[in-house]
């Protein structure tokens, strides 16, 4: 478990750094697009497509890091009042559903990336598959992070947050 925890902690931090960098990129890119459009009357054609890729990156990498940090949406107030065995069972179900979601995200995104890799985004001159790459990576990360949580539950340990 120690090697998985160390690996996942690094991957989680990297995912969050990528999400933050993409968010800063969106901010700078949109500001650039607005200034170019309204001040210089020369809107760059690539701004919208690049911003879309960055939004997908923010969402996917931040969501994956949120799974590792157990920051995903939960109904703790209801689960806390249940007996310990029921809490454990619900935790296992949530973990297994998270693994399943990560697998479906990975497989579906990979299938889409393969299907469109020959198509180009005209304003960026890169493959359409780039749009699906963050989703593919996030699917793998969600599976790894969810497995770590399941192992921790069955061994009676807790997953240490990456940010403290």
């Amino acid at each position: 478990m120690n090697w998985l925890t160390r690996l996942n902690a690094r991957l989680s931090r990297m995912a969050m750094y990528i999400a933050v960098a993409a968010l800063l990129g969106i901010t700078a890119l949109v500001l650039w697009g607005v200034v170019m459009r309204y001040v210089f009357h020369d809107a760059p054609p690539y701004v919208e497509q690049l911003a879309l890729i960055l939004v997908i990156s923010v969402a996917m990498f931040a969501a994956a890091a949120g799974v590792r940090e157990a920051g995903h949406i939960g109904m703790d107030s209801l689960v806390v009042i249940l007996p310990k065995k029921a809490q454990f069972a619900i935790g296992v179900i949530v973990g297994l559903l998270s693994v399943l979601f990560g697998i479906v995200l990975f497989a579906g995104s990979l299938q889409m990336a393969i299907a469109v890799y020959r198509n180009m985004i005209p304003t960026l001159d890169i493959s359409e598959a780039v749009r699906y790459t963050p989703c593919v990576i996030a699917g793998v990360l969600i599976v790894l992070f969810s497995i770590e949580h399941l192992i921790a539950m069955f061994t009676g340990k807790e997953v240490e947050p990456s940010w403290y």
Side-chain angles (χ1 to χ4, degrees):
M1 175 79 173
N2 288 338
W3 67 270
L4 182 61
T5 297
R6 285 192 305 274
L7 173 67
N8 283 352
R10 285 189 180 131
L11 290 173
S12 177
R13 278 192 301 275
M14 286 174 51
M16 191 53 78
Y17 291 146
I18 292 169
V20 168
L23 187 59
L24 292 173
I26 291 168
T27 304
L29 184 66
V30 169
L31 179 64
W32 169 257
V34 168
V35 168
M36 290 302 292
R37 173 171 291 193
Y38 293 107
V39 174
F40 298 104
H41 305 290
D42 185 25
Y46 56 84
V47 170
E48 182 181 346
Q49 295 302 318
L50 189 54
L52 179 60
I53 292 169
L54 291 173
V55 166
I56 293 167
S57 298
V58 169
M60 291 294 106
F61 288 109
V67 169
R68 170 67 170 52
E69 305 302 315
H72 50 71
I73 298 172
M75 297 179 67
D76 288 343
S77 58
L78 294 176
V79 176
V80 172
I81 62 174
L82 296 173
K84 291 291 182 194
K85 286 186 178 184
Q87 289 179 19
F88 182 81
I90 289 174
V92 169
I93 291 169
V94 167
L96 292 174
L97 287 173
S98 296
V99 169
L100 179 63
F101 172 77
I103 291 169
V104 169
L105 179 64
F106 168 78
S109 301
L110 184 61
Q111 184 179 12
M112 286 299 297
I114 291 168
V116 300
Y117 84 95
R118 289 190 179 166
N119 301 342
M120 302 298 277
I121 301 172
T123 57
L124 298 176
D125 200 32
I126 58 175
S127 171
E128 284 277 354
V130 170
R131 294 185 201 275
Y132 299 98
T133 303
C135 302
V136 170
I137 296 168
V140 172
L141 293 176
I142 288 169
V143 169
L144 284 173
F145 299 160
S146 298
I147 289 172
E148 180 185 12
H149 278 284
L150 285 168
I151 291 171
M153 285 179 58
F154 280 103
T155 58
K157 297 180 181 177
E158 291 207 17
V159 174
E160 293 182 27
S162 302
W163 303 101
Y164 307 109

